[in-house]
Amino acid sequence: MHLQIILFDIAVQNEIQGGQRLCLTDTHKFQRLYSTIVMSDGVEGHKRAGSQSVHASGSKLSICNHFNSPAGCTTPDCKFKHACHQSAGHFSVNSMVDHEKVRSYPLDNMRHIGENLLEIRRMHGDHRLVMWKSDIAEAYRLMPMHPIWQIKQVCMVDGYGHVNQCNCFGGCGSGGIFISFNSLVAWIAKNIEHILGCADYVDNTSGAEFADEVSFYEPYQKLMPSKQVSLLHLWDKLGIPHKEKKQVFGSPLTIIGIDVDPNAMTLTLSEAAHEDLVKELHLWGSRLTGKSNGAFPVRRWQSLAGWANWAFNAYPLLRPCLNNVYPKLQGKWAPHQNVWVNNSIREDLNWAADRIENSTGVHLMRSRAWDPSLADVTIFCDACMDGMGFWFPDHRVRYYSPVPSTVPTNIIFYYEALCVAAALHCAHLTSPDGSRIVIYTDNSNTVDIFNTLCARPDYNPILCFAVDILLDGEHDLCVLHVAGDQNVVADALSCQDFGCAIKSIPDLKILDFQPPHLLLGANKK
């Protein structure tokens, strides 16, 4: 049967031939090959495996790096595991998979941990807390693969085929497979076992517990946070392996490389991590000469994006620095393909590096979900193809400006976003540091980009400009949607219908404003 599966694999690869017309995930298109070669009544069904035997993969934990190199492992009786390299070769498994069907899955991060801690503080005050973190042993390797997929993971060693039957690290769909499983485990923990406040990151689960809430975990013969013990009991019930040294707790505690202090309510990057991140961002932001000449392989780009996303746990406002990176990588899956760095990307990464370099590396957790009625400053905005307007209801002051002639697009969305940035700038100049600012707009796309800090490249300078203001003034910003029929004054201002605006608000004071010159950065107070 093993030989039939291998023959089926060869037939599929011959049919695909490295092209994009067919992908390995198009399994329905290979049914005739499967029926002919694998099924017992097919033309190959009567054949037996012959002299070439197939052995199961070993159980050693360390991976042989030489085996994963193009030359392969030549060490006799190598004591390390020979793992599948799914990106090696011109017809690698990863290169023949439809990447649109194996997109990444969302992961919990420090934002979720912060929200859980803030909720605990809101409900229980200054009760002393500890953080805990539990890790699943072997993780990806717990997931068995379909027999037809296992043939993609046959390692030839000394003339024998060793079938790797489990989910392998390095496969473009490997993470999604395990995360799907662990998401179900997380659902059981929350909804069946009532273990609340957990955050999951791939194979790590973490949370907070009251310092005096401890339970005895018999397998490890020690007292541990009660929620952590409850999770370990669930894992034991489900047969999920774990090791004592990876089940940790304390205050502060390092979680995915960031020190979390639940009592000081801070997230901190170590000095070394801080310096390494700045160095890497400046490397990408420089005009390189020599071998790389400003181009990096796709794998290096993906590593940069992953590193930056990790750093956003401590620097959440710096997300715009990747808004030019993602479009650059769109449609590029070959890990060794070189991709050039353009000027926009250099500027964004240097901007982020400068901001990080001048920070302490400590992020103070505070609630971002506050009631708009608690705002220190409230502004209503609107724009049309000819003008922009915003006004402050508390001060009965309104501002108007014609749309600038030098903008990258004439789409109304751009003017709406630019108007919000101008209103934020005005609030920054006229309000004390640390203000809570609410800005209303009737354009939902504008609401989305300011709340996610993700936008197309044309709009990214607006977001960077807004972030500079928020960091310089230590403000909290909330951009909300308002129905058009409730935004009458701002609409009248943008259309230069000042009579209508004054009729709605008789004592409204009307002033002009100059839209910010985004290329010059935020003006300082």
Side-chain angles (χ1 to χ4, degrees):
M1 183 63 179
H2 285 300
L3 180 58
Q4 292 165 243
I5 295 294
I6 292 173
L7 291 173
F8 173 62
D9 177 45
I10 294 172
V12 169
Q13 293 203 38
N14 287 336
E15 182 144 334
I16 293 176
Q17 295 184 344
Q20 297 300 312
R21 182 178 60 86
L22 291 175
C23 294
L24 285 176
T25 45
D26 297 328
T27 54
H28 62 285
K29 298 181 180 178
F30 310 126
Q31 187 61 41
R32 59 180 177 79
L33 297 176
Y34 184 82
S35 299
T36 302
I37 299 173
V38 179
M39 298 301 288
S40 58
D41 56 349
V43 296
E44 298 287 344
H46 64 283
K47 295 183 179 179
R48 295 294 181 262
S51 60
Q52 188 178 34
S53 62
V54 182
H55 295 252
S57 58
S59 60
K60 302 184 181 92
L61 296 177
S62 299
I63 294 175
C64 174
N65 290 324
H66 294 291
F67 182 80
N68 285 332
S69 67
C73 176
T74 58
T75 304
D77 300 322
C78 179
K79 64 179 181 179
F80 298 111
K81 177 183 287 186
H82 286 173
C84 296
H85 190 333
Q86 298 195 359
S87 294
H90 295 293
F91 301 102
S92 67
V93 174
N94 281 342
S95 69
M96 292 188 283
V97 171
D98 185 349
H99 290 258
E100 293 298 321
K101 296 181 180 178
V102 290
R103 288 183 176 274
S104 59
Y105 287 66
L107 303 170
D108 287 346
N109 51 40
M110 288 301 165
R111 181 174 68 84
H112 301 92
I113 291 176
E115 290 172 352
N116 290 335
L117 287 172
L118 289 167
E119 181 64 15
I120 292 174
R121 290 299 179 206
R122 186 185 69 82
M123 296 180 64
H124 302 284
D126 294 330
H127 200 299
R128 185 161 184 79
L129 303 172
V130 295
M131 298 300 299
W132 58 269
K133 180 180 71 172
S134 288
D135 178 87
I136 295 176
E138 300 182 23
Y140 287 22
R141 302 288 299 159
L142 300 177
M143 302 293 100
M145 303 302 290
H146 191 284
I148 295 180
W149 185 261
Q150 290 178 24
I151 61 177
K152 310 297 179 187
Q153 302 180 164
V154 175
C155 305
M156 300 303 297
V157 181
D158 296 332
Y160 293 99
H162 295 255
V163 180
N164 197 329
Q165 299 173 326
C166 302
N167 188 22
C168 289
F169 289 94
C172 58
S174 300
I177 291 171
F178 177 77
I179 291 166
S180 296
F181 164 77
N182 203 29
S183 296
L184 177 57
V185 175
W187 184 91
I188 295 171
K190 177 181 179 180
N191 296 284
I192 305 300
E193 301 295 330
H194 305 293
I195 308 171
L196 305 180
C198 296
D200 294 273
Y201 192 89
V202 191
D203 57 346
N204 288 322
T205 300
S206 56
E209 180 61 286
F210 299 124
D212 53 3
E213 281 284 345
V214 295
S215 299
F216 186 74
Y217 184 62
E218 187 172 352
Y220 293 158
Q221 290 293 296
K222 63 197 294 186
L223 290 171
M224 303 172 69
S226 294
K227 288 184 179 179
Q228 187 174 26
V229 170
S230 296
L231 180 70
L232 293 178
H233 282 316
L234 172 62
W235 286 359
D236 293 339
K237 188 185 303 183
L238 297 175
I240 297 174
H242 50 84
K243 299 177 181 178
E244 182 177 359
K245 66 179 181 179
K246 292 293 188 74
Q247 319 312 313
V248 296
F249 56 91
S251 177
L253 182 68
T254 301
I255 299 176
I256 59 172
I258 296 174
D259 294 336
V260 182
D261 190 328
N263 298 300
M265 296 294 284
T266 57
L267 306 175
T268 306
L269 255 64
S270 69
E271 184 176 349
H274 187 271
E275 292 176 356
D276 289 344
L277 178 61
V278 170
K279 183 179 179 181
E280 180 72 5
L281 291 174
H282 276 316
L283 171 67
W284 283 77
S286 63
R287 293 184 176 276
L288 299 175
T289 58
K291 186 175 180 180
S292 74
N293 202 26
F296 296 94
V298 168
R299 185 182 294 276
R300 183 78 181 275
W301 283 81
Q302 293 169 338
S303 176
L304 170 71
W307 195 351
N309 273 291
W310 166 78
F312 294 157
N313 288 301
Y315 307 103
L317 291 178
L318 298 184
R319 294 185 181 279
C321 75
L322 293 184
N323 284 343
N324 278 289
V325 170
Y326 293 131
K328 192 74 172 177
L329 287 177
Q330 189 171 6
K332 299 178 177 69
W333 304 110
H336 303 295
Q337 177 186 352
N338 278 335
V339 179
W340 292 90
V341 182
N342 60 32
N343 288 335
S344 295
I345 292 174
R346 291 191 184 97
E347 291 172 3
D348 290 346
L349 297 180
N350 278 326
W351 167 77
D354 291 341
R355 278 296 181 180
I356 294 172
E357 194 168 22
N358 294 322
S359 75
T360 61
V362 178
H363 174 64
L364 181 64
M365 287 179 278
R366 57 183 181 180
S367 178
R368 301 286 178 183
W370 39 271
D371 194 288
S373 64
L374 300 176
D376 301 304
V377 181
T378 300
I379 312 173
F380 286 80
C381 297
D382 202 2
C384 66
M385 297 303 293
D386 298 314
M388 302 178 292
F390 60 87
W391 71 294
F392 294 73
D394 294 338
H395 306 293
R396 296 182 177 262
V397 178
R398 75 89 188 161
Y399 294 85
Y400 166 80
S401 171
V403 297
S405 58
T406 55
V407 293
T409 178
N410 62 351
I411 300 175
I412 184 63
F413 173 24
Y414 187 91
Y415 300 134
E416 298 272 11
L418 183 61
C419 184
V420 169
L424 175 62
H425 184 221
C426 183
H428 172 61
L429 296 176
T430 57
S431 305
D433 287 350
S435 295
R436 287 179 167 179
I437 302 170
V438 170
I439 299 179
Y440 289 95
T441 174
D442 56 18
N443 185 277
S444 59
N445 288 333
T446 300
V447 174
D448 290 342
I449 68 169
F450 277 96
N451 287 331
T452 64
L453 296 179
C454 297
R456 290 169 46 191
D458 286 347
Y459 300 85
N460 206 46
I462 295 177
L463 294 183
C464 292
F465 176 83
V467 167
D468 281 337
I469 292 174
L470 296 177
L471 291 174
D472 290 342
E474 298 182 350
H475 304 299
D476 281 337
L477 173 65
C478 185
V479 178
L480 300 174
H481 184 265
V482 62
D485 57 5
Q486 298 178 20
N487 200 28
V488 176
V489 175
D491 177 67
L493 293 174
S494 67
C495 298
Q496 282 188 286
D497 190 354
F498 301 147
C500 178
I502 294 175
K503 183 178 180 181
S504 300
I505 309 293
D507 56 347
L508 190 65
K509 185 178 180 180
I510 299 176
L511 302 173
D512 293 330
F513 77 91
Q514 180 69 35
H517 195 309
L518 298 176
L519 298 181
L520 297 181
N523 296 328
K524 305 298 181 183
K525 283 190 176 181

